[in-house]
Amino acid sequence: MAEDIISLIRENVIQGRVTRDDEGLDGGMVGQPGVTELTEKALATGIDVRDIINKGLTEGMKLMGQKFEEKAYYIPDMLSSAEAVGTAMKLLEPHLAQSGIKPKGKVLLATVKGDLHDIGKNIVTILLRGAGYTVKDLGNDMEPQSIVNAVREENPQFLGLSALLTSTMVNMRDTIQALEESGLRDKVKVIIGGAPVSEEYAKSIGADGYGSDGFQALAVIGSLTST
Ligand code: B1M
């Protein structure tokens, strides 16, 4: 039952179907539950929110990416899928929040210069907020100097950088260098994530941590909090 619902969520992310009123990219699906109705059903059935996010939404976007590579779908199709994931995350957000917990620390998050991919960063934002961190989302396509200015103004404990393009991951290194040049590097712990980056890359550019997904980012920030 749980696997069936998660598999339908995946399929409907690929089809870019927000609600039951949507046709779907391949057409003919009006009336069948979309990502909104399926996510509501998953929550009502007691399916772990982590599985909904990792096995349903994130996996659906990955499969959509493969179809994009195969040229079966195009950029507007990816945007429909992105809208479906964003809508589901809004439904899941209240279930991640643990009421009554004290803020754990402040995190600034940004997608680096040249990169417009923000779905992963938005998921990390929601998970961190749900876990009690105060998160300021700086947005995407963020110049190193703008990030440095925000770190100076906001004085966060953590800075999270996201990149999805091999051509923009280098801007994570430039951002860390800009922090060093401005004398702020030792005031903030830097965590990086996104499909093209790795633990090794994080080490090579002098980041303090790497998260392979949103939950890993949470775990890494948690472990750095206690060091
Ligand atoms: Co683009 N895109 N895209 N895209 N896109 C990719 C990344 C690509 C792999 C698709 C492909 O060709 N196969 C490819 C990159 C190739 C490369 O660099 N090697 C690509 C390309 C080429 C492009 C364009 C250049 C296409 C074009 O215009 N010709 C263009 C670039 C625009 C730009 O940024 N300047 C482009 C545009 C777009 C859209 C705007 C259409 C759209 C983005 C919409 C949006 O974000 N608002 C889009 C999308 C949706 C994708 C794919 C399909 C999905 C990305 C995604 O959202 N994944 C992607 C293909 C794929 O991934 N297979 C692709 C789901 C998301 C939840 O996962 O972002 O990995 P992810 O985040 C995860 C983890 O990585 C991690 O946690 C998240 C949750 O688990 N994580 C962190 C992320 N950030 C983290 C930070 C952390 C810790 C963990 O700590 C701080």
Side-chain angles (χ1 to χ4, degrees):
M1 170 75 163
E3 274 311 312
D4 291 347
I5 298 174
I6 285 175
S7 142
L8 281 171
I9 289 176
R10 263 195 314 267
E11 178 54 27
N12 279 276
V13 167
I14 297 168
Q15 289 294 324
R17 295 187 67 239
V18 180
T19 72
R20 62 170 73 249
D21 298 332
D22 294 328
E23 277 274 336
L25 300 180
D26 295 338
M29 294 180 79
V30 171
Q32 296 176 37
V35 171
T36 302
E37 293 85 8
L38 289 163
T39 303
E40 282 163 348
K41 188 167 177 189
L43 286 169
T45 316
I47 297 174
D48 190 340
V49 173
R50 193 178 291 245
D51 287 342
I52 303 176
I53 294 173
N54 283 347
K55 297 186 188 164
L57 304 174
T58 303
E59 198 52 35
M61 282 306 295
K62 280 192 188 144
L63 293 168
M64 162 47 99
Q66 284 167 14
K67 292 192 182 278
F68 176 74
E69 274 177 63
E70 292 159 7
K71 304 204 187 321
Y73 291 134
Y74 300 95
I75 289 174
D77 305 333
M78 285 207 274
L79 289 174
S80 307
S81 298
E83 190 192 344
V85 172
T87 306
M89 284 308 294
K90 279 199 192 109
L91 289 172
L92 296 174
E93 188 167 6
H95 297 267
L96 292 161
Q98 301 159 8
S99 55
I101 45 177
K102 282 202 295 185
K104 286 181 179 157
K106 192 186 228 182
V107 186
L108 295 192
L109 281 175
T111 302
V112 294
K113 182 182 167 189
D115 205 320
L116 302 177
H117 296 85
D118 62 1
I119 301 172
K121 167 184 66 60
N122 295 345
I123 290 180
V124 175
T125 300
I126 290 170
L127 291 178
L128 286 171
R129 283 189 182 139
Y133 291 90
T134 302
V135 181
K136 179 150 186 187
D137 182 351
L138 300 175
N140 53 25
D141 191 15
M142 288 296 294
E143 293 276 349
Q145 195 53 48
S146 307
I147 296 175
V148 167
N149 294 345
V151 167
R152 188 177 288 109
E153 280 160 28
E154 301 283 341
N155 195 24
Q157 283 80 30
F158 298 98
L159 170 65
L161 299 175
S162 180
L164 259 287
L165 297 171
T166 43
S167 57
T168 59
M169 58 195 263
V170 67
N171 295 327
M172 295 175 150
R173 184 201 60 202
D174 291 356
T175 304
I176 292 175
Q177 269 173 10
L179 280 172
E180 270 160 14
E181 282 157 21
S182 62
L184 290 169
R185 179 63 187 93
D186 58 353
K187 302 244 181 291
V188 65
K189 296 243 179 4
V190 182
I191 319 309
I192 69 164
V197 303
S198 62
E199 185 87 55
E200 291 71 41
Y201 184 69
K203 283 193 185 124
S204 77
I205 62 169
D208 299 293
Y210 159 73
S212 57
D213 64 27
F215 293 100
Q216 279 295 319
L218 197 54
V220 169
I221 286 181
S223 70
L224 288 171
T225 305
S226 50
T227 59

